[in-house]
Amino acid sequence: GYSLCAGVDTVIAVDTGDITLWSSLCLSLPQGARVLSSERLGTMGYSLCAGVAATLARPSPARTVVVAGDGGIQMTLVEMSTFVQHKRPGDALVVIVFDNSMLGRVAFGFVGSKGCELEGPDFVALAKAYGGDGVRVGDRKRQLEDGEVARGVATAMAATGLFVLHVMIDPELKADMAKFTDESIALMESG
């Protein structure tokens, strides 16, 4: 497996969208791990802002891992600059971008949705433009090499400063949403 937590001091900020479902299905966290998420509000782009704040609000050196899709991260990606401007020695903001070139939850969740296709930037080049670093894992034109993901995660988790792990994923891969009925709000009859 891959560990995103370097002990319980690492905070993980999870974005909104298909990435929320994948994170809930796949993250294995140690007891006491702190996870930040925006539940029920659909605030795409939340994780990068939360990640910057979580890093800078804690004593240095602090590490936060942001888990986001390519759609959500593009809504607030300028906040990479905020982190770079305010980081302290030893601080780390690891941004993992799962790139399927689409707004997955919208495309998969709403019949007849339009405008869900994305043409995003090279997120590693963007991190470097902000003075950070990064690696790209995968390519839609070839199979992953043995150990490619493990090497990418290990490199990201060893980094300090801004580091982007740009993970290319299959656009057809979706996380099925579980059935949920909210019974916490009683409906009033108007009559």
Side-chain angles (χ1 to χ4, degrees):
Y2 315 108
S3 177
L4 301 183
C5 288
V8 295
D9 292 335
T10 299
V11 172
I12 297 180
V14 178
D15 213 79
T16 299
D18 244 23
I19 199 66
T20 311
L21 300 173
W22 282 116
S23 295
S24 68
L25 292 169
C26 299
L27 282 177
S28 177
L29 304 170
Q31 184 174 355
R34 289 174 280 178
V35 177
L36 304 175
S37 66
S38 176
E39 297 180 12
R40 300 185 190 194
L41 298 176
T43 50
M44 291 175 65
Y46 162 85
S47 64
L48 184 56
C49 301
V52 170
T55 306
L56 299 177
R58 292 180 292 141
S60 183
R63 172 180 301 278
T64 303
V65 176
V66 170
V67 181
D70 56 320
I73 203 73
Q74 290 187 70
M75 295 186 179
T76 57
L77 54 79
V78 70
E79 298 306 332
M80 290 183 197
S81 175
T82 301
F83 174 75
V84 170
Q85 291 175 39
H86 297 286
K87 69 180 171 56
R88 300 148 306 181
D91 283 346
L93 182 67
V94 176
V95 180
I96 303 174
V97 180
F98 289 91
D99 184 349
N100 61 358
S101 296
M102 68 185 319
L103 298 173
R105 182 53 21 213
V106 178
F108 297 139
F110 298 95
V111 176
S113 59
K114 303 286 184 215
C116 297
E117 302 79 18
L118 298 174
E119 289 296 326
D122 177 336
F123 292 102
V124 172
L126 186 63
K128 290 179 178 181
Y130 281 121
D133 201 1
V135 295
R136 184 174 175 163
V137 173
D139 184 329
R140 291 198 185 91
K141 297 176 183 152
R142 65 172 175 80
Q143 291 280 351
L144 284 172
E145 297 171 13
D146 286 343
E148 186 174 359
V149 173
R151 286 190 303 275
V153 171
T155 301
M157 296 311 294
T160 58
L162 173 64
F163 191 93
V164 171
L165 181 60
H166 186 175
V167 183
M168 304 302 292
I169 61 171
D170 183 346
E172 298 300 316
L173 188 62
K174 73 173 188 172
D176 286 325
M177 195 172 233
K179 297 272 186 208
F180 175 76
T181 303
D182 186 352
E183 297 178 16
S184 65
I185 302 172
L187 297 177
M188 296 174 28
E189 278 193 45
S190 58

